[in-house]
């Protein structure tokens, strides 16, 4: 009996040692495969190194650790590529392994459980939506059809500037360009204008701003594993408020579209907006995939070509921006009109433009650009 106990103890010691040594070997092996990394702190990993503006901090770290480095966002491992060559490796050579976007609690909730296109996992639904975007929603034919909308909105923008000239008033240039963009996109998507000065327009603007802020905000529960189910920042309540408001607005707009479609059924050749096309696809019994109400709402919610990997304003590869052609048409034409019609006198800072960057997903300015427009030529002589 004593012999048997001795053998059992020896066996257990052998088993524990084997497991222990194997774990150490596998850990060392997997670590040695990872790119260089700064020293991480327990729990928060490298989060403390990313303040105040993450892309600037990452650039600084890359000058020390090279164009490919490994960091921990709390408990989430992450690889950072910081040179054109490395970007090409991820976005072209090994593109198929990196075609998903990270999922955050805010985006997942706001998009009805990732039912949208921008954050959809790479798979059959994403492929279906990409095809619809390229062949219908944002196709060349569709963009040509909406040329009068873009022309009208740029005209309104220039007329607004002329009114400011006549009143000798300053302008928040960024704010007005956001208004121009929102108007073009919302007229294309659902035939609605956001610039009328009524309460509803203000409500929509606030909603868009709240969505942008919530999706760009750092949420502890996405990155620190033991905070996953603790809502320390009160995000859940804010997300629910915003999504409920959006939901009510969309239900009303969809109902209006459906009533208008019924009235039009007996003929008429009015231009379809993007929401009409999405409702057509969702009603089509033979469609390759069924589009749900939530897919449609989530698609609407979130609203240089990427071949030279030095400048990638629209990304590159299969997840690159499908709105590039539309965006370039609006950006180039608006910029040309702004430069052709006005000189822009910068307010304060000795007349220089303050290029300080603020935090956010789309690289906002730290401070608004306030200018006084000075007319070079009047595009509307009778105005
Ligand atoms: C100047 C304006 C714009 C810029 C700078 C821009 C930039 C970008 C960037 C950087 C991405 C991510 C690309 C990647 O992950 O590789 C993206 C994705 C996307 N953009 Fe844009 N974009 C603009 C305008 C638009 C417009 C006008 C639309 C539609 C009307 C649009 C729709 C989308 C969509 C749906 C995605 C997600 C694509 C996917 O995940 O497959 N964008 N955009």
């Amino acid at each position: 009996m004593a012999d048997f106990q001795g053998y059992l103890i020896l066996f257990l010691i052998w088993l524990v040692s084997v497991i222990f040594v194997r774990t150490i070997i596998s850990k060392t092996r997997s670590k040695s495969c990872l790119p260089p990394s700064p020293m991480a702190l327990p729990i928060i990993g490298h989060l403390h190194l990313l303040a105040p503006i993450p892309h600037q901090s990452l650039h600084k770290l890359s000058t020390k650790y090279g164009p490919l480095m490994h960091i921990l966002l709390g408990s989430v491992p992450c690889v950072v590529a910081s040179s054109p060559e490395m970007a090409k490796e991820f976005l072209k050579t090994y593109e198929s392994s990196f075609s998903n976007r990270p999922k955050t609690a805010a985006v997942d909730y706001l998009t009805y459980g990732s039912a949208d296109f921008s954050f959809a996992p790479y798979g059959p639904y994403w492929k279906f939506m990409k095809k619809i975007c390229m062949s219908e929603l944002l196709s060349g034919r569709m963009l040509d059809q909406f040329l009068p909308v873009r022309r009208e909105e740029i005209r309104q923008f220039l007329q607004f500037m002329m009114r400011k000239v006549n009143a000798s008033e300053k302008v928040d240039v960024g704010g007005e360009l956001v208004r121009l963009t929102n108007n073009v996109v919302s007229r294309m998507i659902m035939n609605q204008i956001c610039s009328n000065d009524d309460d509803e327009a203000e409500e929509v603007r606030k909603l868009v701003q709240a969505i942008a802020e919530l999706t760009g905000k750092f949420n502890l529960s996405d990155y620190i594993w033991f905070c996953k189910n603790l809502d320390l920042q009160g995000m859940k309540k804010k997300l629910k408020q915003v999504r409920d408001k959006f939901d009510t607005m969309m239900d009303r707009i969809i109902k209006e579209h459906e009533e208008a479609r019924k009235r039009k059924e007996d003929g008429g050749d009015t231009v379809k907006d993007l929401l009409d096309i999405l409702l057509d696809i969702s009603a089509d019994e033979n469609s390759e995939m069924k589009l749900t109400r939530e897919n449609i709402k989530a698609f609407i919610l979130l609203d240089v070509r990427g071949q030279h990997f030095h400048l990638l304003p629209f990304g590159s590869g299969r997840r690159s921006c499908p709105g590039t052609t539309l965006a370039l048409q609006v950006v180039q034409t608006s910029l040309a009109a702004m430069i052709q019609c006005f000189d822009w006198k910068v307010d304060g800072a000795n007349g220089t433009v303050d290029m300080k960057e603020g935090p956010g997903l789309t690289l906002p300015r730290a401070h608004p650009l306030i200018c006084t427009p000075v007319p070079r030529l009047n595009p509307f002589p009778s105005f």
Side-chain angles (χ1 to χ4, degrees):
M1 190 63 186
D3 274 358
F4 176 73
Q5 272 185 350
Y7 282 126
L8 189 66
I9 289 169
L10 276 178
F11 173 74
L12 285 176
I13 292 175
W14 172 81
L15 190 67
V16 170
S17 315
V18 167
I19 294 174
F20 184 66
V21 170
R22 283 191 135 216
T23 314
I24 289 189
I25 290 177
S26 71
K27 280 220 159 167
T28 337
R29 267 203 200 135
S30 66
K31 266 203 172 151
S32 67
C33 290
L34 289 171
S37 178
M39 242 231 318
L41 293 182
I43 302 174
I44 62 167
H46 297 103
L47 285 176
H48 61 297
L49 298 177
L50 301 186
I53 310 257
H55 70 272
Q56 291 176 354
S57 313
L58 289 172
H59 169 70
K60 225 184 258 168
L61 285 173
S62 79
T63 55
K64 193 162 169 202
Y65 294 92
L68 188 67
M69 59 184 172
H70 168 242
I71 59 169
L72 282 168
L73 302 176
S75 37
V76 180
C78 174
V79 172
V80 185
S82 323
S83 69
E85 295 73 27
M86 277 305 159
K88 193 173 172 189
E89 290 294 299
F90 283 91
L91 297 171
K92 195 166 182 187
T93 317
Y94 298 103
E95 183 186 15
S96 55
S97 310
F98 297 98
S99 293
N100 280 317
R101 299 194 190 286
K103 207 189 244 186
T104 65
V107 167
D108 195 50
Y109 184 80
L110 289 173
T111 58
Y112 303 84
S114 302
D116 71 320
F117 168 49
S118 307
F119 288 89
Y122 180 68
Y125 175 70
W126 178 84
K127 284 186 190 162
F128 174 67
M129 288 307 292
K130 176 85 176 185
K131 200 165 76 184
I132 292 177
C133 267
M134 302 324 282
S135 63
E136 301 205 39
L137 303 177
L138 295 167
S139 65
R141 186 178 54 84
M142 200 68 179
L143 297 190
D144 286 350
Q145 207 168 287
F146 283 108
L147 176 63
V149 168
R150 298 195 294 277
R151 198 176 277 155
E152 165 67 15
E153 286 302 330
I154 291 179
R155 208 170 68 93
Q156 297 274 356
F157 173 81
L158 295 176
Q159 282 180 343
F160 171 84
M161 291 303 164
M162 281 311 290
R163 281 199 293 277
K164 290 288 169 184
V165 168
N166 293 339
S168 309
E169 281 176 5
K170 296 171 192 163
V171 183
D172 172 359
V173 181
E176 290 312 318
L177 286 171
V178 168
R179 187 198 295 263
L180 167 66
T181 316
N182 282 352
N183 284 352
V184 170
V185 172
S186 59
R187 280 181 71 179
M188 283 180 65
I189 293 186
M190 46 196 179
N191 209 5
Q192 309 268 322
I193 307 179
C194 304
S195 70
N196 298 336
D197 258 347
D198 55 21
D199 291 348
E200 200 197 9
E202 188 53 28
E203 190 81 331
V204 172
R205 263 198 297 279
K206 277 192 191 150
L207 199 57
V208 172
Q209 199 183 346
I211 290 169
E213 270 172 26
L214 284 171
T215 49
K217 205 168 179 176
F218 179 79
N219 184 1
L220 274 177
S221 56
D222 286 327
Y223 299 102
I224 312 277
W225 61 269
F226 63 82
C227 295
K228 199 168 171 54
N229 295 317
L230 307 174
D231 185 20
L232 297 175
Q233 294 149 282
M235 288 281 269
K236 278 192 183 148
K237 193 172 152 216
K238 287 182 210 154
L239 286 168
K240 186 169 176 337
Q241 276 173 352
V242 167
R243 205 185 76 176
D244 285 352
K245 266 194 194 158
F246 176 77
D247 217 48
T248 314
M249 185 186 84
M250 276 316 295
D251 279 336
R252 182 181 52 74
I253 294 174
I254 291 180
K255 197 162 159 241
E256 282 167 11
H257 270 66
E258 283 175 335
E259 280 163 7
R261 283 150 66 81
K262 268 192 209 131
R263 287 198 297 274
K264 266 184 250 158
E265 247 161 29
D266 40 335
D269 57 354
T270 26
V271 172
K272 281 186 179 175
D273 57 32
L274 272 59
L275 182 53
D276 286 320
I277 298 179
L278 289 168
L279 289 171
D280 281 348
I281 297 171
S282 128
D284 180 2
E285 294 291 330
N286 301 319
S287 169
E288 193 182 319
M289 262 197 160
K290 186 81 194 140
L291 272 194
T292 63
R293 263 303 141 88
E294 297 199 332
N295 287 143
I296 295 180
K297 288 181 191 171
F299 179 86
I300 285 170
L301 178 66
L302 296 172
D303 86 280
V304 187
R305 300 279 168 175
Q307 292 309 309
H308 307 289
F309 293 79
H310 291 78
L311 177 66
L312 300 168
F314 299 99
S316 178
R318 61 188 80 174
R319 291 305 295 242
S320 66
C321 178
T324 307
T325 308
L326 168 62
L328 287 178
Q329 281 174 357
V330 177
V331 170
Q332 289 166 351
T333 320
S334 323
L335 189 63
M338 285 174 73
I339 296 171
Q340 189 184 23
C341 301
F342 302 99
D343 274 325
W344 298 85
K345 218 164 118 251
V346 180
D347 189 44
N350 297 327
T352 54
V353 177
D354 178 0
M355 295 300 285
K356 210 161 155 230
E357 296 166 352
L361 205 60
T362 53
L363 200 56
R365 291 182 175 283
H367 309 289
L369 174 61
I370 308 291
C371 292
T372 309
V374 182
R376 281 177 191 282
L377 60 86
N378 186 348
F380 314 104
S382 59
F383 188 69

